[in-house]
Amino acid sequence: MPQVDGVNKKMGKIMSELNLAEPEALPFLPFALPDIGEEEIAEVVECLRSGWVTTGPKTRQFEQEFGAYLGGGVETVSVNSATAGLHLALEALGIGPGDEVIVPTMTFTATAEVVRYLGAQPVLVDVDARTLNIAPSAIEAAITPRTKAVIPVHYAGLACDMDAILALAARHSLRVIEDAAHAFPAVCNGRLVGTLASDATVFSFYANKTMTTGEGGMVVTRDPALAARVRLMRIHGIKQDAFARYTSKTPAWFYEVVAAGFKYNLTDIAAAIGVQQLRKIDRFLLRRKELAHGYAEALKDLPLQLPADAAPGSGHAWHLYMVRLTAGARLGRDELIGRLAAAGIGTSVHFIPLHRHPYWRDSCALSAHQFPEAEASFAAMLTLPLYTRMTDADQQRVIAAMHAALS
Ligand SMILES: *Cc1c(COP(=O)(O)O)cnc(C)c1O
């Protein structure tokens, strides 16, 4: 993760400058850490011993079990990243040159770059000040005759207002691809994200997400034709994947290329990790909730805007715990990050809005005043450590450092 690397590098510099790397110093507390146990290790070893390391039986099992977790009735196609999954979903929907796709500015660059892969134009819009999710009113205002799709991002794991988004998408004949990289498992009005009426939902299993396969992702859809196209294009436009090829009745050497596809398949080694992570996901979520509620309780008297929780009937995945400094705070965001780093606590910023990055700013001719909510939030935001292996004592360190800096 670029964020992790950046913070670790900065940390190292700060630690050496302040001479904090003494043996008695508390260990550095990262802002995210994967939770890999003996079960994942054993499953990977079994996969390696089986002799089948690329896409095969373990990948199938992972896809089936992921679909079953979502309640069945959906197609699940694993890929080697959410970025690949977003690309394939847009490709399957026929997005191409001349098309516009609406994307929130408060996201990771992957959400917008996949639109570019297809020669289409990402149209960045501002977000809702409370949730940092894409604002339905901003989508509506950005629609032109060229608009083909919208990619809502469930920021930090809190579902977007999907009822409003799906209704306006239906009114304007727009496709909806959910970027659910943060949102496994999240509930939107009584239904798990992944089972809503959008065209496709894409989850990420990157190292710092709510569950991981090292690198990986899953495209989920109710549309069998879309699933078939994604399956085809994830592996070179070859009609059958390697596993089917080696077990079907047709000769093993035979295959047909029917499109110029990509190389986006998940390996069985990665899927083996995913199978075991999935079995722990309810426990992971419970721990994330405990930690989020612990922060909410302990930080409520500080000059901070705490993250919005899900409405009744919905559920937050708590991928990130992002707080914003309020006007009364005696420190700025950067200074607070420095204080926490000096106390051995890693933080990050989610996200530097896309319109602030040179590539997006210049290629889309964007300026900051078009995104007042994202700008205000960016100036004040930081993400505190939140991961399942974090102990209560770890969290107390963060809370104490926040109080020392801000009260
Ligand atoms: C992590 C992330 C992605 C990309 O996921 P990968 O699996 O690393 O490709 C996309 N969108 C958002 C919002 C993310 O945070």
Side-chain angles (χ1 to χ4, degrees):
M1 189 73 186
Q3 283 103 326
V4 181
D5 294 347
V7 169
N8 283 341
K9 245 176 260 152
K10 263 182 266 168
M11 254 317 294
K13 197 162 153 262
I14 290 161
M15 298 268 285
S16 61
E17 274 170 10
L18 300 178
N19 205 16
L20 284 174
E22 298 295 316
E24 64 269 28
L26 286 166
F28 177 67
L29 202 70
F31 97 90
L33 207 63
D35 193 341
I36 304 288
E38 290 306 318
E39 299 82 0
E40 286 83 348
I41 293 166
E43 191 86 37
V44 167
V45 168
E46 189 196 305
C47 171
L48 294 173
R49 293 221 162 95
S50 80
W52 197 286
V53 291
T54 185
T55 308
K58 206 46 86 181
T59 304
R60 293 260 170 117
Q61 182 190 345
F62 180 44
E63 289 174 342
Q64 279 161 9
E65 291 179 3
F66 196 85
Y69 184 91
L70 292 176
V74 288
E75 303 248 7
T76 46
V77 187
S78 61
V79 282
N80 59 12
S81 71
T83 307
L86 289 165
H87 180 196
L88 292 177
L90 289 172
E91 196 277 341
L93 290 169
I95 305 300
D99 295 339
E100 292 177 357
V101 178
I102 298 172
V103 172
T105 190
M106 190 57 83
T107 187
F108 184 57
T109 193
T111 317
E113 84 190 2
V114 294
V115 177
R116 280 277 196 251
Y117 290 179
L118 293 158
Q121 176 67 37
V123 175
L124 301 185
V125 300
D126 207 0
V127 289
D128 173 75
R130 193 180 68 89
T131 61
L132 296 196
N133 281 331
I134 195 165
S137 59
I139 299 174
E140 196 116 45
I143 292 172
T144 76
R146 290 166 176 263
T147 310
K148 288 285 155 49
V150 55
I151 311 181
V153 176
H154 304 302
Y155 178 88
L158 179 66
C160 293
D161 184 354
M162 289 306 295
D163 290 343
I165 292 169
L166 289 167
L168 83 83
R171 270 203 309 282
H172 296 276
S173 304
L174 304 184
R175 304 299 207 154
V176 180
I177 303 98
E178 295 169 70
D179 180 338
H182 300 182
F184 187 71
V187 178
C188 181
N189 283 333
R191 298 171 72 185
L192 277 169
V193 166
T195 68
L196 308 177
S198 57
D199 292 280
T201 304
V202 182
F203 295 96
S204 172
F205 309 129
Y206 181 73
N208 73 353
K209 300 291 171 30
T210 54
M211 64 165 272
T212 187
T213 60
E215 301 278 0
M218 191 75 77
V219 180
V220 179
T221 180
R222 293 183 178 285
D223 179 351
L226 190 144
R229 179 71 183 179
V230 170
R231 264 188 210 108
L232 178 76
M233 296 305 278
R234 87 174 153 179
I235 184 85
H236 300 299
I238 290 174
K239 243 168 144 181
Q240 292 175 305
D241 68 20
F243 183 65
R245 221 160 70 221
Y246 281 84
T247 55
S248 67
K249 299 282 181 282
T250 50
W253 52 265
F254 185 77
Y255 64 91
E256 282 180 310
V257 174
V258 297
F262 305 96
K263 187 68 175 24
Y264 283 165
N265 55 305
L266 190 72
T267 68
D268 268 23
I269 301 171
I273 305 172
V275 162
Q276 291 299 331
Q277 289 270 288
L278 187 60
R279 291 184 188 161
K280 301 177 179 178
I281 196 68
D282 289 336
R283 173 164 71 72
F284 285 174
L285 178 63
L286 210 63
R287 181 62 183 149
R288 285 182 176 279
K289 270 190 185 151
E290 273 173 13
L291 290 164
H293 294 157
Y295 276 139
E297 192 50 36
L299 303 177
K300 67 178 189 297
D301 296 328
L302 295 180
L304 294 170
Q305 181 180 357
L306 300 179
D309 204 343
S314 293
H316 203 307
W318 291 114
H319 165 52
L320 301 173
Y321 197 86
M322 183 279 294
V323 300
R324 284 169 276 185
L325 288 163
T326 53
R330 58 188 170 85
L331 295 182
R333 187 269 310 277
D334 295 353
E335 206 184 342
L336 176 58
I337 285 178
R339 292 279 190 94
L340 292 170
I345 294 164
T347 56
S348 191
V349 173
H350 294 92
F351 293 91
I352 302 167
L354 294 185
H355 68 262
R356 281 185 160 251
H357 290 287
Y359 173 74
W360 295 114
R361 184 192 60 217
D362 299 344
S363 73
C364 298
L366 302 170
S367 66
H369 69 81
Q370 295 169 262
F371 307 94
E373 305 297 356
E375 279 291 302
S377 291
F378 170 64
M381 64 164 49
L382 69 157
T383 305
L384 300 181
L386 180 81
Y387 48 93
T388 56
R389 283 171 63 191
M390 194 178 185
T391 64
D392 291 347
D394 291 336
Q395 186 175 38
Q396 284 311 317
R397 269 179 72 191
V398 181
I399 290 166
M402 288 289 281
H403 277 269
L406 293 172
S407 48

